[in-house]
Amino acid sequence: MLQSKLFPKTRKEPPREAESINHKLLVRGGFIDQLMAGSWTLLPLGWRVVSRINQIIREEMNAIGGQEMLMPLLHPRSIWGETGRWGSTKDNPLGAKEIMYQFKDMRGREYALSFTHEEIVMDLLRKHIRSYQDLPVAVYHFSTKFRNEPRARSGILRGREFMMKDLYSAHTTEADLMEYYDQVKEAYSKIFTRLGFDFRITESGGGVFTDKTTHEFQVLAEGGEDTIFYCDACGWGENREIFEGKAGERCPSCKKGKTIRAQAIEVGNIFPLGTWYSEKMNVSYTDADGRQKPVWFASYGIGSTRVLGASVEVSHDESGIIWYPQVAPFDVHLIELKAQNSKLKTDPKEIYKRLSEAGIEVLWDDRDKSAGEKFAEADLIGIPVRLVVSKETAENIEWKRRNSKKTELLSLRQAIDRVKKMH
Ligand code: ATP
Ligand code: MG
């Protein structure tokens, strides 16, 4: 991709209203644009990052038998009425009126914009599942979620419209459900490890989804909105919402480690929902003994746009973003410093071609600008490797990692090998 053609240009100043790091840096770098509070365009650079995040999630979902599909976002009131979630929490602890965008069309018919899909999946199961032989089922999609968030600050971490991967699984027994739930927990741990995060798994309440205990995946980050407690020795962790102890106390689980209090960003949440939804919506299967039984159900979410923001919150410096290679918008930032009155010894076009042929994604800064300006913008955008071709580099190229100050002269072959090793 030629940087001269990239839309839009970077900007030197953050938006005045921006408070969080991800908001400032993602807007300045040209990754996202705000339409109104909590509503963002993923610009070409931002969409590249989210696509890479989604691909990592997709691979791990497929590895545990998840089947990808796509469900509608406009839902009739009737389906939300079946579980009572159309209503307010005043009437029902799981009522979701406060968070749902609900409206009428010109004929007076009532709809909601999707804030989650449990009811929609239940309806699918009711239509397509008959016997125990049709189960288990695990389906997922990536799609927009709409939530009427009272405080839509924190940049892209909290949108009123955001992207989520949500997986739903249905089973014949509680044991089968819990076995799969543990598999998903493992898959989520793999995903967040691949994404480069330092994270903890915490127990938490189920909000408008369930009265059961759920598990959250929390990325340790100073700017995080959640307060969590975890053990420095075992895997125990709880969200402040449900933890009754204090930092520094003995771990309530292993009784050996110490309880640590930290700020964190919730990037994923998994919910063992049980039979509450299938009983309300009459979703059952015929067992081997011929009897009708309710389906056991769970749902599992990861906010991919929140992951984009969290990646910036945990990896940046005063000059800009430092992408982890696995989610970076490009693998290499090729910077051409134009030679005055003479041609460069190495042709940037040829380098671009050879990098691309090696399967490396390159942003090529072909613009007529000073080295200082180009380097500052490269630091802001944060691509993990910077390669410079100039008169000084002669036949070689100058290699620099975004997270290091050291520069080295390498042959193109060496540079390609190093980029390949990073993945
Ligand atoms: P929070 O407590 O942060 O409001 P939640 O617990 O209500 O989030 P879940 O219903 O658990 O959210 O959603 C699953 C995942 O979707 C979350 O772990 C998070 O990654 C993402 N997510 C939830 N709400 C938002 C939002 N408003 N903007 C961006 N991502 C979100
Ligand atoms: Mg949650």
Side-chain angles (χ1 to χ4, degrees):
M1 166 96 213
L2 290 176
Q3 202 169 345
S4 58
K5 304 265 192 285
L6 181 64
F7 175 79
K9 306 250 174 302
T10 63
R11 35 191 279 191
K12 290 211 166 58
E13 297 301 325
R16 245 186 304 139
E17 70 284 5
E19 293 170 18
S20 56
I21 290 162
N22 78 86
H23 188 169
K24 290 179 188 161
L25 291 179
L26 287 171
V27 170
R28 284 189 53 213
F31 290 81
I32 60 174
D33 178 89
Q34 189 172 43
L35 176 63
M36 58 181 174
S39 153
W40 302 88
T41 294
L42 293 172
L43 293 163
L45 283 178
W47 178 240
R48 276 180 168 264
V49 177
V50 170
S51 300
R52 279 190 162 178
I53 292 167
N54 286 351
Q55 185 53 26
I56 289 175
I57 298 172
R58 176 178 288 121
E59 285 167 17
E60 299 300 340
M61 290 297 98
N62 292 348
I64 54 167
Q67 300 179 52
E68 187 170 355
M69 59 180 194
L70 184 60
M71 290 178 273
L73 306 184
L74 186 62
H75 302 165
R77 171 181 178 153
S78 55
I79 199 147
W80 292 97
E82 292 190 48
T83 54
R85 289 212 288 178
W86 180 271
S88 162
T89 39
K90 289 187 201 91
D91 320 314
N92 163 8
L94 302 190
K97 200 174 203 74
E98 288 78 9
I99 204 159
M100 250 195 265
Y101 284 101
Q102 303 180 338
F103 59 94
K104 285 194 178 108
D105 73 3
M106 294 202 11
R107 296 197 192 98
R109 282 187 297 228
E110 290 183 283
Y111 299 93
L113 292 178
S114 157
F115 83 99
T116 185
H117 277 81
E118 281 81 9
E119 280 78 351
I120 313 304
V121 176
M122 277 289 140
D123 183 59
L124 286 170
L125 294 170
R126 179 163 65 187
K127 288 187 282 204
H128 299 281
I129 295 294
R130 289 288 159 263
S131 93
Y132 68 99
Q133 287 162 317
D134 300 329
L135 293 165
V137 167
V139 286
Y140 72 98
H141 72 168
F142 290 90
S143 78
T144 300
K145 297 282 176 281
F146 299 88
R147 293 187 183 182
N148 198 346
E149 298 278 0
R151 303 163 294 131
R153 276 176 303 167
S154 308
I156 194 115
L157 293 177
R158 185 171 294 287
R160 294 206 167 101
E161 189 178 328
F162 57 94
M163 185 173 280
M164 197 201 285
K165 180 288 300 170
D166 34 331
L167 168 74
Y168 301 84
S169 74
H171 308 262
T172 51
T173 62
E174 182 172 22
D176 193 55
L177 166 75
M178 290 319 290
E179 197 200 313
Y180 192 71
Y181 186 82
D182 286 339
Q183 277 188 47
V184 179
K185 210 198 263 181
E186 270 301 299
Y188 269 40
S189 296
K190 280 192 197 156
I191 290 165
F192 295 122
T193 303
R194 287 180 67 183
L195 290 169
F197 289 144
D198 184 9
F199 66 96
R200 297 291 180 278
I201 302 176
T202 56
E203 290 189 356
S204 161
V208 296
F209 291 87
T210 182
D211 55 8
K212 294 192 163 49
T213 300
T214 74
H215 291 94
E216 294 174 337
F217 291 75
Q218 297 274 4
V219 174
L220 300 183
E222 274 169 38
E225 281 186 11
D226 281 33
T227 304
I228 62 163
F229 292 87
Y230 64 89
C231 172
D232 64 358
C234 74
W236 173 86
E238 273 181 34
N239 195 299
R240 178 174 63 181
E241 290 166 12
I242 64 169
F243 182 57
E244 284 173 354
K246 283 204 298 281
E249 285 173 0
R250 274 279 152 81
C251 166
S253 175
C254 71
K255 318 272 188 225
K256 291 198 191 82
K258 205 172 68 180
T259 305
I260 312 269
R261 179 192 158 110
Q263 291 311 113
I265 302 168
E266 181 203 317
V267 285
N269 204 174
I270 57 178
F271 304 82
L273 301 169
T275 56
W276 189 84
Y277 289 83
S278 53
E279 278 164 19
K280 291 257 188 259
M281 291 183 66
N282 242 325
V283 187
S284 61
Y285 67 95
T286 315
D287 209 351
D289 58 13
R291 283 194 303 177
Q292 286 292 307
K293 293 181 181 161
V295 161
W296 287 83
F297 192 50
S299 69
Y300 320 84
I302 296 181
S304 24
T305 45
R306 185 175 285 182
V307 167
L308 165 77
S311 302
V312 177
E313 292 288 330
V314 299
S315 187
H316 63 270
D317 62 15
E318 60 292 339
S319 312
I321 303 167
I322 307 176
W323 292 109
Y324 296 131
Q326 54 276 30
V327 297
F330 290 93
D331 304 313
V332 161
H333 204 157
L334 174 64
I335 295 185
E336 163 189 359
L337 299 179
K338 310 241 185 225
Q340 276 171 351
N341 311 323
S342 65
K343 278 190 82 176
L344 292 175
K345 287 237 172 69
T346 37
D347 182 4
K349 204 183 204 159
E350 182 59 25
I351 294 178
Y352 180 80
K353 193 167 148 255
R354 286 196 34 211
L355 286 165
S356 305
E357 281 166 4
I360 294 168
E361 301 246 20
V362 185
L363 180 63
W364 170 14
D365 190 349
D366 57 327
R367 301 165 309 162
D368 230 338
K369 285 191 165 211
S370 74
E373 278 175 291
K374 288 191 171 198
F375 292 167
E377 272 185 77
D379 281 350
L380 173 61
I381 294 172
I383 296 168
V385 172
R386 189 183 82 185
L387 295 180
V388 178
V389 271
S390 69
K391 229 162 64 186
E392 282 73 37
T393 58
E395 280 92 18
N396 291 317
I397 10 185
E398 185 192 85
W399 163 283
K400 184 184 164 298
R401 286 293 303 266
R402 173 65 182 84
N403 58 3
S404 152
K405 295 231 172 333
K406 195 170 118 195
T407 58
E408 285 171 83
L409 283 182
L410 299 182
S411 70
L412 179 56
R413 188 69 258 157
Q414 287 171 314
I416 289 176
D417 288 345
R418 280 203 194 174
V419 176
K420 290 267 170 196
K421 281 209 194 88
M422 288 165 52
H423 287 274

